[in-house]
Amino acid sequence: MDKRFVYADNSATTKISDAVLEAMMPYLKDYYGNASSIYSLGMDSARAILRSREAVAKAIGAKTSEIYFTSGGSESDNWAIKCAAEVGAAKGKKHIVTTVFEHHAVLHTCEYLEKHGFEVTYVPVDEMGLVHAEDIKNALRDDTCLVTVMFANNEIGTIQPIAEIGAICRERKILFHTDAVQAVGNVEINVAEMNIDLLSLSGHKIHAPKGVGALYMRTGINLPNFIHGGAQERSKRAGTENVAGIVGLATAITEATKNIPEKQARLSKMRDRLIAELTKIPESRLNGDPVKRLCGNVNISFRGIEGESLLLSLDLEGICASSGSACTSGSLDPSHVLLAIGLPHSTAHGSLRLSLSDDTTEEDIDYILSKVPRTVEKLRAMSPLWERILRDEDIDAE
Amino acid sequence: MIYSEKVMDHFANPRNVGEIEDADGVGEVGNAKCGDIMKMYIKVNDGIITDVKFKTFGCGAAVATSSMATELIKGKPIEEAMKLTNKAVVEALDGLPTVKLHCSVLAEQAIHAALSDYYTRQGVDPKAILGDCPPADMCEI
C-alpha cells in the first residue's frame, strides 16, 4: 500500500474545515472592528458574535442568553468549577463531587480547590470506564455545592449517564457541570432536557480553530466572573472578543450537530472495523465500553510494548495517533484514565488511541490496519518484556 | 518535545538489536511498571567487547540510547566500556529532552549490569571492579 498521511488524533485537535475557514476569513481581514466600538465596523463584529451565540445555543438546546464565549475548554472548566465553589463556600457548602477520570482541566482545578479548604469526592468508574449515577448520588452530602462529570471521556471515549446524573442533581438542588468537550458534535446534547446547569465546550475539537470555546450557564445561575476586566460577554467575561474564532466555533458547531445520527453511523462503522481487526492481535484489549462509546474513539492496549515508541513508529509510516503511556503523558505514571479502569501499569503503557473525524475515510482505516499489526510485531520482537509475557511470567508482580 | 535527528535515526534504525545466544554477560535493568526495560548481551574476547546486542521495551529515547550505547562500546576494551557515562551517550545523540535523560542513565546501567554479569561468570566479584551500581528500578533517576 502506498504511503499516505493519516490523521487519527482528532480527540487531540482537528483540522479547520473549509466552511469554518471561509466563515472566519472576513473577520480576519475586513471586519476587524472591536465589537465594543460604536461605529458600524464595530457593530458588524457585535452582530457576528450575536449570530454565533444563537448558533451555539441552538446546537445544545440552550437559550442564546445562556452562552458565554471563552478561550476554550480549560477556561470554561476553571470558570464553572472555581466560581461554583465560590458560590458554595459563601453558603457554607464546600464539598464537590467529581470522578477519578476527568480531564486534567477538571481534576487539577479540583485539586487546587482542595488546597483552599474544599473537600472533593472522586467517584470511581467501573472497568468499562462508566460512572454509575447511583455512585454519584451516594457521594452527595448536605454541603455539596457542585457535581462535575465529563460527558464523554477523552481517552477511552466512554459516554456517561449525564441525563441521569443531571436529574439527581436537580432534585437535590445541586449545581451540575459537565465537560462536554469531546461529546459535542458526536452525541446529541440538550442541556434543558438533560438538566445540565453548566457545560464546557471547545472549538478546536470540532474543526474550529484553537483558542475559542464556550460556557453554557443556565438562566438563574449567576456565577461570579472568572476573568475580570471590561464589559464583554454581558459583563461576565472580560477580554476583547476573538470574533473570527467565535464565528469559526459557531460555524463548526452548526456543521457538527447538523446530522449526528448520520455521523455516528458512518464513524462507528469505521471504529468497529478498527476494533475488530486490532483486537485480533494477540495480547491486546479494547479499553472502554464497546457500545457506550464515542463514534470515533478507538483505544487498545498491546502488552509488551510501550506507547511512545508505537507512536513514533506509526509516525514514520505517516499515521498520527496518541497513547496513554507515561512517556506521552508527561509524567512518570501512565494515563490516570487507564489506571482508573484497572489496567496494570505495564498494559497502560502500551495503549494506542485512534480518534476519527468527518475527514477520516475507509482508505485511512485500510492503511492503519496495514501498518499497526506489523508495527506492534516489530516492537515486540525487540522487547524483553514481550519475551517474559510469552513465558507466561507475571510481569506486574514487581 | 523534540527529538534530535540522531535520536530519530537510532530509533528508526536501531543498531545491534537482538540477542547473543552464547553471551559472556547479560544485564537487564528497569521494570515494566515504569515503562522501560533494557537488556544487554555482550561477548568478550581477550578483554575486548567483540559483540553487543540489546533488546528494549520503552520509549523512543530508551531505544535510541540503547542503540547508541551499544555502538559506543562495541569493539572497545572492557575498561573503556566501564567508563561509559550516560552523558557521553546523550552527547553522541546530540542531546535528549530533559524528561528523557533517565533513559540514558538506564543505558549506562544496562552496560554495567552486563559487565557485572560477565565478571561474576569469570569468578570475579564485580563490586571490586565496578563499584556499587545505583538501583536501576526507579522510574525517575
Side-chain angles (χ1 to χ4, degrees), chain A residues 136-167:
Chain A
I136 298 288
K137 192 176 181 179
N138 293 337
L140 300 178
R141 309 192 319 207
D142 290 340
D143 63 342
T144 305
C145 61
L146 175 73
V147 172
T148 173
V149 176
M150 68 198 324
F151 209 116
N153 185 271
N154 49 311
E155 291 187 37
I156 55 174
T158 48
I159 299 166
Q160 307 308 321
I162 292 302
E164 244 181 286
I165 297 169

Coordinates of all heavy atoms in Angstrom, one line a residue, chain A residues 136-167:
Chain A
I136 N -22.7 8.5 42.2 CA -22.7 10.0 42.3 C -23.7 10.3 43.4 O -23.4 11.1 44.3 CB -23.1 10.6 41.0 CG1 -22.1 10.3 39.9 CG2 -23.3 12.2 41.2 CD1 -20.7 10.9 40.0
K137 N -24.9 9.7 43.3 CA -26.0 10.0 44.3 C -25.5 9.8 45.7 O -25.7 10.6 46.6 CB -27.2 9.2 44.0 CG -28.5 9.5 44.7 CD -29.6 8.6 44.2 CE -30.9 9.0 44.9 NZ -32.0 8.2 44.4
N138 N -24.8 8.6 45.9 CA -24.3 8.2 47.2 C -23.2 9.1 47.7 O -23.0 9.2 48.9 CB -23.9 6.8 47.2 CG -25.0 5.8 47.0 OD1 -26.2 6.2 47.3 ND2 -24.7 4.6 46.5
A139 N -22.6 9.8 46.8 CA -21.5 10.7 47.2 C -22.0 12.1 47.7 O -21.2 12.9 48.3 CB -20.5 10.8 46.1
L140 N -23.2 12.4 47.3 CA -23.8 13.7 47.7 C -23.9 13.9 49.2 O -24.3 13.0 49.9 CB -25.1 13.9 47.0 CG -25.1 13.9 45.4 CD1 -26.5 14.1 44.9 CD2 -24.1 14.9 44.8
R141 N -23.6 15.1 49.6 CA -23.8 15.5 51.0 C -24.6 16.7 51.1 O -24.9 17.4 50.2 CB -22.4 15.7 51.7 CG -21.4 14.5 51.4 CD -20.2 14.6 52.2 NE -19.6 15.9 52.4 CZ -18.2 16.1 52.7 NH1 -17.4 15.0 52.7 NH2 -17.8 17.3 52.9
D142 N -25.0 17.1 52.3 CA -25.7 18.3 52.6 C -24.9 19.6 52.2 O -25.4 20.6 51.8 CB -26.2 18.5 54.0 CG -27.3 17.4 54.3 OD1 -27.9 16.9 53.4 OD2 -27.4 17.1 55.5
D143 N -23.6 19.4 52.3 CA -22.7 20.6 51.9 C -22.1 20.5 50.5 O -21.1 21.1 50.2 CB -21.6 20.7 53.0 CG -20.7 19.6 53.1 OD1 -21.0 18.5 52.5 OD2 -19.5 19.7 53.6
T144 N -22.7 19.6 49.7 CA -22.2 19.5 48.3 C -22.7 20.7 47.5 O -23.9 21.0 47.5 CB -22.6 18.2 47.6 OG1 -22.2 17.1 48.4 CG2 -22.0 18.1 46.2
C145 N -21.7 21.4 46.9 CA -22.1 22.6 46.1 C -22.0 22.4 44.6 O -22.6 23.1 43.8 CB -21.3 23.8 46.5 SG -19.5 23.6 46.2
L146 N -21.3 21.3 44.2 CA -21.2 21.1 42.8 C -20.9 19.7 42.5 O -20.1 19.0 43.2 CB -20.0 22.0 42.3 CG -19.6 21.8 40.8 CD1 -20.6 22.4 39.8 CD2 -18.2 22.4 40.5
V147 N -21.5 19.2 41.4 CA -21.1 17.9 40.8 C -20.6 18.2 39.4 O -21.2 18.9 38.6 CB -22.4 17.0 40.7 CG1 -22.0 15.7 39.9 CG2 -22.9 16.6 42.1
T148 N -19.4 17.6 39.1 CA -18.9 17.8 37.8 C -18.4 16.5 37.2 O -17.5 15.8 37.8 CB -17.7 18.9 37.7 OG1 -17.1 18.9 36.4 CG2 -16.7 18.7 38.8
V149 N -19.1 16.1 36.1 CA -18.8 14.8 35.5 C -18.7 15.0 34.0 O -19.6 15.6 33.4 CB -19.9 13.8 35.8 CG1 -19.7 12.4 35.0 CG2 -20.1 13.5 37.3
M150 N -17.6 14.5 33.4 CA -17.4 14.7 32.0 C -18.5 13.9 31.2 O -19.0 12.9 31.5 CB -16.0 14.2 31.5 CG -15.8 12.7 31.6 SD -14.0 12.3 31.6 CE -13.3 13.5 30.5
F151 N -18.9 14.5 30.0 CA -19.9 13.9 29.2 C -19.4 12.6 28.5 O -20.0 11.6 28.6 CB -20.4 14.9 28.1 CG -21.8 14.7 27.7 CD1 -22.8 15.7 27.9 CD2 -22.2 13.5 27.0 CE1 -24.1 15.5 27.5 CE2 -23.5 13.3 26.6 CZ -24.5 14.3 26.9
A152 N -18.2 12.8 27.9 CA -17.6 11.6 27.3 C -16.1 11.7 27.6 O -15.5 12.8 27.6 CB -17.8 11.6 25.8
N153 N -15.5 10.5 27.9 CA -14.1 10.5 28.3 C -13.2 10.8 27.0 O -13.4 10.1 26.0 CB -13.7 9.2 29.0 CG -12.3 9.2 29.5 OD1 -11.4 8.9 28.8 ND2 -12.1 9.7 30.7
N154 N -12.2 11.6 27.2 CA -11.3 11.9 26.1 C -10.4 10.8 25.7 O -9.9 10.8 24.5 CB -10.5 13.2 26.4 CG -9.8 13.1 27.8 OD1 -10.4 12.8 28.8 ND2 -8.5 13.4 27.8
E155 N -10.0 9.9 26.6 CA -9.1 8.8 26.2 C -9.8 7.6 25.7 O -9.4 7.0 24.7 CB -8.2 8.5 27.4 CG -7.2 9.6 27.7 CD -6.2 9.2 28.7 OE1 -5.8 8.0 28.7 OE2 -5.9 10.0 29.6
I156 N -10.8 7.1 26.5 CA -11.4 5.8 26.1 C -12.8 6.0 25.5 O -13.5 5.0 25.2 CB -11.4 4.9 27.3 CG1 -12.1 5.5 28.5 CG2 -10.0 4.4 27.6 CD1 -12.3 4.5 29.7
G157 N -13.3 7.3 25.4 CA -14.5 7.6 24.7 C -15.8 7.2 25.3 O -16.8 7.3 24.6
T158 N -15.7 6.7 26.5 CA -17.0 6.3 27.1 C -17.9 7.4 27.4 O -17.5 8.5 27.9 CB -16.7 5.5 28.4 OG1 -15.8 6.2 29.3 CG2 -16.1 4.1 28.1
I159 N -19.2 7.2 27.1 CA -20.3 8.2 27.3 C -21.0 8.0 28.6 O -21.5 6.9 28.9 CB -21.2 8.2 26.1 CG1 -20.5 8.4 24.8 CG2 -22.4 9.2 26.3 CD1 -21.2 8.1 23.5
Q160 N -21.0 9.0 29.4 CA -21.5 8.8 30.8 C -23.0 9.1 30.9 O -23.6 9.8 30.0 CB -20.8 9.8 31.7 CG -19.2 9.6 31.6 CD -18.8 8.2 31.8 OE1 -19.3 7.5 32.6 NE2 -17.8 7.8 31.0
P161 N -23.7 8.6 31.9 CA -25.2 8.8 32.0 C -25.5 10.2 32.5 O -25.9 10.4 33.7 CB -25.6 7.7 33.0 CG -24.3 7.5 33.9 CD -23.2 7.7 33.0
I162 N -25.2 11.2 31.7 CA -25.3 12.6 32.1 C -26.8 13.0 32.4 O -27.0 13.7 33.5 CB -24.8 13.5 30.9 CG1 -23.3 13.3 30.8 CG2 -25.1 15.0 31.2 CD1 -22.5 13.5 32.1
A163 N -27.8 12.5 31.7 CA -29.1 12.9 32.0 C -29.6 12.4 33.3 O -30.2 13.1 34.1 CB -30.1 12.4 30.9
E164 N -29.1 11.2 33.6 CA -29.5 10.6 34.9 C -28.8 11.4 36.1 O -29.5 11.6 37.1 CB -28.9 9.1 34.9 CG -29.9 8.0 35.0 CD -29.2 6.7 35.1 OE1 -28.6 6.3 34.0 OE2 -29.1 6.1 36.1
I165 N -27.6 11.7 35.9 CA -26.9 12.5 36.9 C -27.5 13.8 37.1 O -27.7 14.4 38.2 CB -25.4 12.5 36.6 CG1 -24.7 11.1 36.6 CG2 -24.6 13.4 37.6 CD1 -23.3 11.1 36.1
G166 N -27.8 14.4 35.9 CA -28.5 15.7 35.9 C -29.8 15.7 36.7 O -30.0 16.6 37.5
A167 N -30.6 14.7 36.5 CA -31.8 14.6 37.2 C -31.6 14.5 38.7 O -32.4 15.1 39.5 CB -32.6 13.4 36.7

